[in-house]
Amino acid sequence: MKAIAIRRYGGPEVVEYTELPDPKVGPDSVLVQVRAAGVNPVDWKIREGAMDGLMDVHFPLIMGWDLAGVVLAVGGAVTEFAPGDEVIGYVRKDAVEHGTYAELVSAPVRTLARKPASLDWAQAGGLPLAGLTARQCLVGALDLRPGESVLIHGAAGGVGCLAVQLAVAIGARVIGTASERNHAFLRGLGAEPVAYGEGLVDRLRELAPAGLDAALDLVGGGEPLEVSAQLVADPARLASITDYGVVARGGHYVFVRPDAEGLAELAALADRGALRVPVASTFPLAQAASAQALNAEGRTRGKIVLLVD
């Protein structure tokens, strides 16, 4: 099969479009013909070696954790899926080696759900990791409830635009930081946009004089947590996916976990029209290095997705 792999850590120059053996299908897994694979910051961070101290890493390493595709074959213990089923998956395994930037992926059933019929392949491929991250932050860590207010830092990005919609679907008031060029986009998703930068606390106090119930940091760097702590009374209602310092404040650091039930709920929201996946750019599989370079700039509105023929 064709795949995008690396044989050592480094920059975009180590990314190879290459031929590798087809994956084996274990008893609890299915073989998926990949149609689309989402590109996420963790992908190029793995390429640079950032995960080496956290997980076992083996080379050659096929990158990617997101996919949307069609089941070709099922393992002997699998009853959940059959050949021909269209699926989405956040296919993170115990070791980093067999990723989703490939024509074929062996995916454990615990990482998969049925593809929402309302989304095309690119949208479906961009949903799993970002959607589950947003859900596990808002529903899990922050326990966001109807009628509450939440501040989302980096609201126009790949995770942020999904977090906004999930919070709106919950029935919360959503305030999102973004550059001014993305304010109309955020209003269209149901958020109240506010420009980040100097004076942010004052602008937020104008919107929410009584403070906010919860805050989600998708940006990092320290400042979002400093700002959030001035507006959210309960430190347990702070969460971040980028700044482990939130734990010292009494909040929650979230590293997304595979969750088939959560994926199914995201798919149901999409099919009800309550969740859409804005796709900023698509690239053919062979141009994965360019896709990662764009993702690393951190200015993209929505998701970047690889399309697999």
Side-chain angles (χ1 to χ4, degrees):
M1 68 174 183
K2 293 292 188 181
I4 294 293
I6 61 173
R7 301 179 190 275
R8 59 183 174 87
Y9 295 132
E13 73 281 355
V14 305
V15 176
E16 299 179 25
Y17 181 56
T18 187
E19 190 88 18
L20 289 173
D22 292 356
K24 298 177 181 179
V25 183
D28 299 315
S29 297
V30 303
L31 182 65
V32 179
Q33 180 182 17
V34 180
R35 299 294 300 275
V39 176
N40 298 286
V42 71
D43 300 340
W44 52 265
K45 291 177 182 179
I46 287 173
R47 187 198 71 213
E48 294 178 345
M51 298 295 289
D52 192 76
L54 301 176
M55 301 177 71
D56 288 331
V57 177
H58 305 288
F59 296 103
L61 185 162
I62 301 172
M63 289 180 289
W65 282 343
D66 269 346
L67 67 73
V70 180
V71 174
L72 294 182
V74 302
V78 173
T79 59
E80 295 90 341
F81 301 103
D85 287 344
E86 297 181 348
V87 294
I88 56 174
Y90 168 45
V91 190
R92 176 163 66 79
K93 303 175 184 178
D94 293 334
V96 182
E97 181 178 9
H98 300 296
T100 59
Y101 287 16
E103 293 178 326
L104 299 172
V105 170
S106 179
V109 293
R110 64 180 174 82
T111 68
L112 301 174
R114 296 185 184 277
K115 172 186 170 293
S118 59
L119 300 185
D120 63 25
W121 287 115
Q123 294 164 338
L127 175 61
L129 187 153
L132 284 178
T133 300
R135 185 178 186 279
Q136 289 170 19
C137 288
L138 296 174
V139 178
L142 294 177
D143 190 26
L144 190 65
R145 303 296 180 88
E148 291 189 323
S149 58
V150 61
L151 169 63
I152 299 175
H153 294 275
V159 175
C161 66
L162 298 177
V164 166
Q165 295 174 81
L166 288 177
V168 169
I170 289 169
R173 179 192 181 192
V174 185
I175 298 174
T177 70
S179 61
E180 291 188 7
R181 69 183 178 87
N182 288 321
H183 284 193
F185 170 68
L186 288 182
R187 290 189 189 96
L189 298 179
E192 300 170 54
V194 59
Y196 51 72
E198 185 176 353
L200 176 57
V201 171
D202 293 335
R203 291 191 291 277
L204 289 168
R205 289 200 187 281
E206 289 180 9
L207 288 172
L212 296 158
D213 295 301
L216 172 57
D217 168 28
L218 304 175
V219 177
E223 183 179 5
L225 287 183
E226 292 287 346
V227 169
S228 299
Q230 296 181 57
L231 294 149
V232 177
D234 182 358
R237 305 300 300 282
L238 301 175
S240 178
I241 67 169
T242 56
D243 190 340
Y244 196 75
V246 70
V247 176
R249 293 179 176 273
H252 306 271
Y253 177 78
V254 178
F255 193 102
V256 59
R257 303 175 66 183
D259 177 7
E261 182 179 348
L263 272 182
E265 292 183 9
L266 291 169
L269 279 174
D271 281 340
R272 291 204 302 269
L275 181 66
R276 61 187 178 92
V277 183
V279 175
S281 302
T282 62
F283 291 80
L285 181 63
Q287 295 179 19
S290 297
Q292 288 187 351
L294 180 61
N295 182 265
E297 292 178 3
R299 300 188 183 93
T300 307
R301 177 195 296 172
K303 293 294 300 179
I304 299 170
V305 180
L306 299 175
L307 298 179
V308 185
D309 294 331

